[in-house]
Amino acid sequence: MKNKDKIIAAFLVSLGLFSTAQATQYVGGLSIKEKQALSVVAQADDTANDTDPFLVAIHDNK
Amino acid sequence: MPRSIKELGVVVGYRCNFKCAHCCTRHNRSQGLSAVEKLSIISAIDRYNPGTLLFVGGETTLYLETVNEILSAARDLSGSKIKVTTNGHFARTVPSAVRMLRSFKKLDSIQLSYDRFHAEFLPFRNVKNLYLACKKLGMKFCVINTITSPLELVGLKKFWPIGKFKVLVNKVMCLGEAARNGIEYAYPSFDSGVLNRSCPARNNLTYVCGRGFSACCSSLAFETSLPVAHASIAQHRRSRFYRLISGMTLGRLMRKSGLPANCLPPQFSAECHLCEHIFKNSGLLA
């Protein structure tokens, strides 16, 4: 798994969107263009202030 | 002394001026809270002093009178933060957004539902107008972005020029219009880790319009007649449903239900979906 793939997978896991295994499987199925687009969002989230994150996971409901 | 509550959610009614395909309620429901239900909610607020009172719909601003009625009747809200979830339809301009926010008896925080589904009905400028109105009034602002796939997160880039605020990422659940339209967050495979987890909402409480108080804020409370919602919080906490979901992991519930736990489909990776399967297809609440 490439570094960029690992960053995207970790980002998806941190948001509670997938388990590690699911995230690895999901990222493996993405095109290069899709990975590029997602890594931009992941990096932007990573540079946000730790105490005031840009993206926050919430429980699945409305 | 009753246990205090961190957050009490109130579903004030199901009427909405948008018709989003992924909505967790059915579009044909127009019900609002009855007088008896309002009294139950007011009495719960007085008794449990929730740290946060969250009003949701339907579209909450269409129930402004009901919300203000509850806020006016509650004895003491000084220790409670008032939060409202809205689709932002009123924020055509910053002044119109300010007017609406000021018309609530008390309001501390706004959660704007905005995603690819809401975008079909809400002009993007309303997001900025509402953000600026909240900033002007010193209210907290965040966006709830509900997705069916992580790739939809890419669309969040357009928020960046507006300002700095939180985006709460939510997965589309299979209930209401979403279930009718076959729209649901897609998992690539089943995550067995869900069996080691408990209901993520077990420490929350929601008053579900037409049903009652429940820890469940998903399909069991909204779409079934199973005894998962009750007339009072005390009654709910004594109920078999609450004892089961608060005391057991989903794996233990699965074993107790006698339902087969092998070959579960990917969508059961979501706690709510698996929980619904367990309670709808077993005699656990009989």
Side-chain angles (χ1 to χ4, degrees):
Chain A
M1 201 180 195
K2 288 181 185 166
N3 226 8
K4 186 185 273 181
D5 293 11
K6 285 181 188 168
I7 291 168
I8 299 170
F11 168 64
L12 300 178
V13 173
S14 73
L15 280 177
L17 296 178
F18 291 135
S19 68
T20 307
Q22 286 173 327
T24 306
Q25 196 180 344
Y26 176 78
V27 174
L30 292 176
S31 68
I32 293 170
K33 207 174 160 188
E34 288 169 333
K35 284 181 193 174
Q36 180 57 37
L38 262 181
S39 72
V40 170
V41 181
Q43 278 163 12
D45 189 49
D46 194 41
T47 54
N49 185 328
D50 282 346
T51 56
D52 190 15
F54 174 60
L55 295 172
V56 183
I58 58 170
H59 159 57
D60 312 328
N61 62 0
K62 64 178 293 177
Chain B
M1 188 71 184
R3 251 193 302 165
S4 64
I5 294 171
K6 201 174 163 197
E7 181 172 297
L8 175 63
V10 178
V11 180
V12 283
Y14 303 102
R15 205 164 73 236
C16 188
N17 46 0
F18 290 3
K19 296 276 175 270
C20 301
H22 75 316
C23 189
C24 62
T25 60
R26 299 271 179 189
H27 290 157
N28 56 2
R29 296 179 75 178
S30 57
Q31 188 180 6
L33 294 168
S34 69
V36 173
E37 288 181 297
K38 285 182 221 168
L39 284 176
S40 300
I41 295 164
I42 294 160
S43 134
I45 296 169
D46 289 344
R47 194 171 157 85
Y48 295 93
N49 297 310
T52 303
L53 203 46
L54 167 66
F55 292 97
V56 298
E59 166 50 27
T60 315
T61 59
L62 302 182
Y63 294 91
L64 177 66
E65 211 176 299
T66 302
V67 173
N68 280 340
E69 211 180 311
I70 293 169
L71 295 177
S72 305
R75 258 202 308 266
D76 179 16
L77 290 172
S78 57
S80 301
K81 296 279 181 208
I82 312 301
K83 209 192 287 188
V84 159
T85 301
T86 178
N87 64 25
H89 69 98
F90 53 86
R92 288 178 303 277
T93 61
V94 177
S96 68
V98 167
R99 261 197 310 280
M100 174 58 84
L101 299 180
R102 277 194 173 137
S103 58
F104 284 89
K105 175 109 180 139
K106 184 177 185 222
L107 187 56
D108 300 287
S109 180
I110 281 287
Q111 300 189 143
L112 171 69
S113 298
Y114 190 81
D115 40 53
R116 73 178 172 95
F117 302 101
H118 283 92
E120 289 179 28
F121 301 92
L122 191 75
F124 186 68
R125 65 168 187 274
N126 286 36
V127 179
K128 187 175 183 180
N129 291 340
L130 190 51
Y131 167 74
L132 292 173
C134 286
K135 211 172 165 186
K136 187 172 178 181
L137 297 175
M139 291 176 187
K140 281 193 175 173
F141 172 83
C142 72
V143 168
I144 300 180
N145 192 263
T146 306
I147 60 173
T148 56
S149 151
L151 279 171
E152 288 163 39
L153 296 175
V154 176
L156 299 180
K157 282 193 287 188
K158 62 181 177 182
F159 290 142
W160 296 350
I162 294 181
K164 194 178 176 186
F165 51 84
K166 285 184 186 179
V167 177
L168 310 179
V169 182
N170 201 8
K171 296 175 241 178
V172 174
M173 285 296 299
C174 184
L175 70 155
E177 287 301 316
R180 199 205 298 255
N181 294 316
I183 298 172
E184 188 177 8
Y185 184 79
Y187 292 93
S189 56
F190 175 67
D191 168 27
S192 59
V194 70
L195 297 169
N196 299 322
R197 298 195 289 269
S198 299
C199 166
R202 65 192 182 282
N203 296 321
N204 300 345
L205 270 167
T206 301
Y207 188 90
V208 181
C209 178
R211 293 292 323 267
F213 292 98
S214 185
C216 178
C217 50
S218 194
S219 62
L220 287 176
F222 281 93
E223 298 199 323
T224 71
S225 53
L226 290 169
V228 301
H230 302 87
S232 74
I233 292 173
Q235 232 178 312
H236 182 65
R237 283 180 171 163
R238 283 195 305 268
S239 70
R240 178 164 171 77
F241 173 71
Y242 182 73
R243 278 187 283 120
L244 286 171
I245 62 153
S246 60
M248 287 190 184
T249 60
L250 289 159
R252 271 189 72 195
L253 282 173
M254 212 47 203
R255 284 193 294 278
K256 197 173 168 63
S257 70
L259 293 168
N262 55 337
C263 299
L264 293 172
Q267 62 269 29
F268 284 177
S269 301
E271 292 94 339
C272 297
H273 208 139
L274 181 58
C275 184
E276 178 193 4
H277 166 69
I278 294 169
F279 283 104
K280 272 171 102 169
N281 299 304
S282 73
L284 281 180
L285 294 177

